[in-house]
Amino acid sequence: MIIADWIAIGLIVFFALLGLLVGFGRGLRFFTKGFFGFLITILVCYCLGGFILKISFVEELLLKFVASLEGKGTVCDILIAIHIEIIVYYIVLFIAVLILKYTIVKLIAMIFEIDNIVIKVINRIVGVGLFLCVLALFVMIAFQIVYLIGGTTVTNFQQHISGSIFKLDWLFENNPLMTIIKIITIRIEI
């Protein structure tokens, strides 16, 4: 085993114990608040925004909004030019997703924090799974950052994780975040 494997074992044990202590309910609330919650909300809006925008009544509503601004003066012409309807649409979608996320997380957390021994055990076990998934996400983000730095940093990093029992070298070369970033880049270019 290489040093990276020992670090991986330490992180897995730490995050599993953290998940066991915190549980799924409190862990879910923590990871959906603040900065993480903001990023999750933006990601959901980005992924669903185009689909919802194609719904006929949403398109009609936005066209009526633009029609109500036409011929009202220079300020309205500027707002139409910058597509204020899309800006308003995404602001409303962001607020709706935020409310929906808050409601769903609150409901799930309440279910997982019921004062029942069976639910408490399930809460702790699922908490371990949540925290291990978060660890996997952090590792993929760290690998992606190293990849984006490039140059000798990538070469040195690959040498340090080469031959890992946990196949960290394979994960670095086949990082799922790279695929996600490519999809986002392609969508932005369209």
Side-chain angles (χ1 to χ4, degrees):
M1 284 197 347
I2 60 174
I3 294 174
D5 289 331
W6 288 108
I7 293 171
I9 289 171
L11 286 172
I12 289 169
V13 168
F14 176 74
F15 272 77
L17 287 174
L18 199 59
L20 192 63
L21 292 172
V22 173
F24 182 74
R26 285 192 296 168
L28 184 65
R29 279 199 314 256
F30 173 76
F31 288 117
T32 56
K33 280 185 184 175
F35 181 72
F36 291 120
F38 185 74
L39 286 178
I40 290 169
T41 305
I42 289 175
L43 184 64
V44 169
C45 288
Y46 176 77
C47 292
L48 295 180
F51 297 117
I52 296 172
L53 192 59
K54 298 299 179 192
I55 298 173
S56 62
F57 85 90
V58 173
E59 286 180 343
E60 291 172 13
L61 193 62
L62 293 177
L63 289 173
K64 287 180 184 177
F65 179 66
V66 170
S68 70
L69 294 176
E70 289 177 343
K72 301 266 174 142
T74 308
V75 174
C76 290
D77 291 340
I78 292 171
L79 291 176
I80 291 171
I82 64 168
H83 292 284
I84 190 67
E85 75 278 7
I86 301 297
I87 296 169
V88 169
Y89 164 74
Y90 274 103
I91 290 171
V92 170
L93 181 64
F94 182 83
I95 292 169
V97 168
L98 212 70
I99 292 169
L100 188 62
K101 180 191 70 164
Y102 175 78
T103 305
I104 291 171
V105 167
K106 188 79 167 170
L107 181 64
I108 291 172
M110 284 175 36
I111 291 170
F112 273 91
E113 293 176 351
I114 293 174
D115 193 17
N116 179 323
I117 190 70
V118 174
I119 299 295
K120 284 184 178 184
V121 169
I122 292 171
N123 182 30
R124 302 302 175 155
I125 292 170
V126 177
V128 169
L130 172 68
F131 276 79
L132 290 178
C133 287
V134 169
L135 172 63
L137 180 65
F138 286 162
V139 167
M140 288 187 289
I141 290 170
F143 283 4
Q144 188 62 36
I145 290 170
V146 170
Y147 179 79
L148 291 174
I149 292 171
T152 58
T153 305
V154 172
T155 308
N156 292 338
F157 189 74
Q158 285 177 322
Q159 288 174 353
H160 287 301
I161 62 174
S162 179
S164 168
I165 290 175
F166 295 115
K167 300 292 183 194
L168 296 174
D169 48 351
W170 180 87
L171 180 63
F172 181 74
E173 293 170 7
N174 302 296
N175 192 345
L177 286 183
M178 180 56 79
T179 305
I180 294 169
I181 289 172
K182 285 180 183 176
I183 292 170
I184 290 172
T185 305
I186 290 169
R187 184 166 176 191
I188 289 172
E189 289 174 359
I190 294 175

